[in-house]
Amino acid sequence: MAQLPKHFLWGGALAANQFEGGYNQGGKGLSVIDVMTAGTHHQPRQITQNIDSNHYYPNHEGIDFYHRYQEDIALFADMHLKCLRTSIAWTRIFPNGDEATPNEEGLRFYDNVIDELLKHHIEPVITLSHFEMPLHLAQHYGGFRNRKVVEAFVKFAEVVFKRYKNKVKYWVTFNEINNQMDTHNPIFLWTNAGVLLEAHENHEEVLYQVAHHQLIASALAVKVGKTINPEFKIGNMISHIPIYPYSCHPKDIMEAEINNRLRFFFPDVQVRGYYPNYAKKMFTKKHIDIGWLEGDEAILAQGTVDFIGFSYYMSTTVKHANTTRNAYNKIYGSLPTSIDNPYVEKSDWGWAIDPIGLRYTLNTLYNRYQIPLFIVENGLGAIDELDENGDIHDDYRIDYLKQHIEATIQAVDDDGVEVMGYTPWGIIDSVSFTTGEMKKRYGLIHVDRDNSGHGTLKRTKKKSFYWYKNVIDSNGENLG
Ligand code: BG6
């Protein structure tokens, strides 16, 4: 029988901005996502810069975890989760980001949440930055364009590291640090870095300057964290969408190889502690000044991560000289030369469903870096219907998760990859990041709320809830 490690961290993943709500309570300041409207699959979310009463902002109330955390954590405990990955909203701790002292009420909220998790023997896995940068830092400092924001981030990290040094062991610095390089939709760069590109600028240069500042911020946070508690395990987090060549044409192979650097650029620095040669070459050839300061070399070298956290939802395929610009090119994670992969199905939102791609990813990342991997997001965004009894038979979600868990087990058991855990995204329904919809549901627990914010917020266990509980109890042996 295939085996996973005994202490495998089975859990669920969430982010403060998508499920907490209480956007202006407990002294919380506005974050970059608080000025993002709802969108749809076909209509992108807008960034309004302030709150405009003509718009609806779904993250403001989320699913109201802020007031229901005890009830929700009891449900997670009932599912037998061993860990919960969530974030600490930066704006609850530093409402504007540049205050001298933290907001005690915000810290008290997380004291309560973390204590409640520990009471139920659920290990907290905390992301420091998951689309929650204070709006003030974006508007007055230019977000991560500005090195001062590095200091603000490290100060925030230090405060929470100290507060939870005996309660939280697993930390993640920046969520999907690489997705901001995808500029087809401004929300990625805005939410990750608090930056909007100006038409007249050299976009590539700005992107790499911002990236450099975040890499420095991540490394400094790791260093500070280790001084506070050397037992901390601090990881990075990337969105990994493997890029396949469309054919065995050597030009397709090269197209995929070169594009895959977009996936590896951040972990190359965060794991190895220095910039890879392909990046240095590119900076020189394109005259890109990343804003390197004396001492950065040591910072990067001293702040390498303990594990790689990554999200895996799909793969993408590229074809050299592909000029067919169609809707597919605009799917999140796709590239200008992306093309439909005829061998995989797609979700209702056009994301390729490819469990083998997860085994492939685990092998690729492990063989490249040889440090433990943590699948901190994976899941299926789908429309759920309640039957006449109010039950949800989400067999499609069970199928999706089952196939991805099987792929993980193969990677561990057959390929020898070190995997720390698996936390499916949106363990309870929450607001979709890319579209702001509620109807794009990932949860194993249903929440009665619609795209316009109507509904009772009642929680209902889906069929997948019971299925996952069995998976956890059998450490992955009973996949149904
Ligand atoms: C990742 C994010 O991009 O994917 C999450 O880290 C997000 O915040 C998840 O919710 C799924 O994306 P979406 O747009 O379907 O919610």
Side-chain angles (χ1 to χ4, degrees):
M1 188 69 81
Q3 292 281 314
L4 284 173
K6 202 163 156 235
H7 299 292
F8 193 75
L9 286 166
W10 292 101
L14 291 159
N17 78 87
Q18 284 163 272
F19 86 129
E20 276 181 8
Y23 82 107
N24 58 1
Q25 295 182 24
K28 180 182 172 297
L30 288 183
S31 75
V32 286
I33 208 147
D34 289 325
V35 295
M36 269 169 53
T37 65
T40 66
H41 183 15
H42 304 288
Q43 189 177 345
R45 304 181 75 174
Q46 289 173 49
I47 301 161
T48 57
Q49 293 295 340
N50 45 43
I51 295 171
D52 174 346
S53 55
N54 296 314
H55 286 291
Y56 170 58
Y57 298 89
N59 298 72
H60 287 185
E61 275 91 39
I63 57 156
D64 196 35
F65 175 82
Y66 188 71
H67 297 107
R68 296 162 194 254
Y69 67 89
Q70 285 171 310
E71 176 199 342
D72 286 342
I73 292 172
L75 281 166
F76 302 153
D78 188 15
M79 210 192 293
H80 293 180
L81 296 193
K82 293 185 191 299
C83 74
L84 183 77
R85 171 183 175 234
T86 185
S87 57
I88 289 186
W90 189 348
T91 47
R92 286 201 192 284
I93 313 305
F94 287 100
N96 281 327
D98 57 1
E99 292 88 348
T101 50
N103 169 34
E104 186 55 31
E105 202 177 342
L107 285 164
R108 271 205 303 275
F109 170 66
Y110 291 109
D111 294 347
N112 294 339
V113 169
I114 290 170
D115 288 346
E116 195 68 20
L117 288 170
L118 295 174
K119 186 176 105 189
H120 288 286
H121 311 288
I122 299 174
E123 181 98 48
V125 177
I126 300 293
T127 313
L128 293 169
S129 179
H130 196 135
F131 312 153
E132 290 130 5
M133 171 189 285
L135 185 61
H136 177 78
L137 292 183
Q139 291 178 335
H140 295 265
Y141 292 77
F144 272 104
R145 285 172 185 272
N146 190 334
R147 188 101 179 192
K148 279 206 160 41
V149 173
V150 173
E151 283 167 39
F153 174 78
V154 177
K155 184 169 172 182
F156 157 63
E158 187 172 2
V159 165
V160 296
F161 282 151
K162 280 191 177 147
R163 184 86 165 201
Y164 304 116
K165 71 171 182 192
N166 298 319
K167 294 184 177 178
V168 176
K169 177 173 175 193
Y170 298 99
W171 300 88
V172 167
T173 55
F174 287 91
N175 182 66
E176 294 191 339
I177 189 166
N178 56 327
N179 75 11
Q180 62 195 322
M181 306 309 266
D182 178 351
T183 53
H184 90 265
N185 184 343
I187 69 167
F188 300 129
L189 188 58
W190 175 250
T191 48
N192 271 35
V195 170
L196 291 174
L197 295 171
E198 309 278 340
H200 61 85
E201 316 183 275
N202 175 346
H203 289 183
E204 219 173 2
E205 186 164 65
V206 176
L207 287 175
Y208 281 105
Q209 285 169 352
V210 167
H212 180 61
H213 288 158
Q214 286 176 304
L215 287 165
I216 291 289
S218 173
L220 285 170
V222 171
K223 196 174 166 199
V224 168
K226 294 286 185 170
T227 344
I228 294 167
N229 183 348
E231 298 299 310
F232 279 169
K233 296 283 173 216
I234 310 178
N236 64 344
M237 192 320 200
I238 54 166
S239 155
H240 199 82
I241 301 174
I243 300 167
Y244 298 155
Y246 184 68
S247 74
C248 52
H249 191 305
K251 287 189 175 170
D252 282 351
I253 306 285
M254 223 36 229
E255 180 70 24
E257 167 65 20
I258 288 170
N259 279 300
N260 265 312
R261 290 176 189 165
L262 283 174
R263 308 292 188 244
F264 297 129
F265 170 71
F266 288 91
D268 277 354
V269 181
Q270 292 178 302
V271 176
R272 298 172 178 157
Y274 54 87
Y275 275 89
N277 269 357
Y278 62 80
K280 289 200 261 188
K281 266 274 179 225
M282 189 258 292
F283 298 152
T284 311
K285 284 197 167 176
K286 294 187 172 175
H287 307 288
I288 287 178
D289 172 3
I290 61 166
W292 183 268
L293 296 185
E294 209 185 318
D296 284 358
E297 199 171 347
I299 294 173
L300 294 178
Q302 290 163 9
T304 55
V305 292
D306 297 313
F307 66 89
I308 297 174
F310 71 95
S311 64
Y312 177 81
Y313 291 93
M314 62 189 138
S315 54
T316 192
T317 302
V318 291
K319 185 173 191 301
H320 77 280
N322 176 30
T323 48
T324 44
R325 301 283 311 172
N326 54 28
Y328 194 70
N329 298 112
K330 297 215 169 109
I331 299 285
Y332 165 50
S334 67
L335 301 148
T337 51
S338 282
I339 191 160
D340 223 341
N341 179 343
Y343 303 105
V344 298
E345 288 182 7
K346 290 195 217 107
S347 78
D348 290 344
W349 276 263
W351 293 16
I353 300 175
D354 178 15
I356 296 174
L358 176 56
R359 180 177 178 189
Y360 174 69
T361 291
L362 287 162
N363 275 276
T364 310
L365 291 175
Y366 192 65
N367 293 338
R368 190 172 179 111
Y369 301 113
Q370 277 134 25
I371 64 171
L373 307 177
F374 196 163
I375 306 164
V376 293
E377 284 186 35
N378 172 238
L380 179 70
I383 297 172
D384 291 332
E385 307 281 355
L386 278 72
D387 72 7
E388 61 285 2
N389 302 317
D391 294 331
I392 298 130
H393 304 276
D394 56 341
D395 296 279
Y396 36 90
R397 183 168 294 107
I398 294 174
D399 268 5
Y400 180 101
L401 295 173
K402 179 178 170 201
Q403 290 181 53
H404 286 79
I405 293 170
E406 278 168 350
T408 304
I409 294 173
Q410 278 183 304
V412 172
D413 203 51
D414 292 341
D415 308 329
V417 177
E418 258 181 286
V419 185
M420 296 161 61
Y422 177 78
T423 59
W425 173 253
I427 198 77
I428 180 167
D429 290 346
S430 62
V431 178
S432 155
F433 162 57
T434 49
T435 69
E437 294 167 296
M438 266 309 292
K439 77 168 188 190
K440 189 182 188 191
R441 296 174 184 275
Y442 287 85
L444 281 55
I445 301 167
H446 181 269
V447 178
D448 180 26
R449 190 167 177 88
D450 68 14
N451 280 354
S452 327
H454 300 120
T456 60
L457 289 167
K458 180 175 171 238
R459 279 55 170 153
T460 306
K461 296 171 186 173
K462 302 182 192 177
K463 186 174 174 185
S464 53
F465 177 105
Y466 303 99
W467 170 82
Y468 190 47
K469 184 173 174 165
N470 267 323
V471 172
I472 296 175
D473 289 348
S474 63
N475 201 24
E477 285 191 15
N478 185 357
L479 291 174

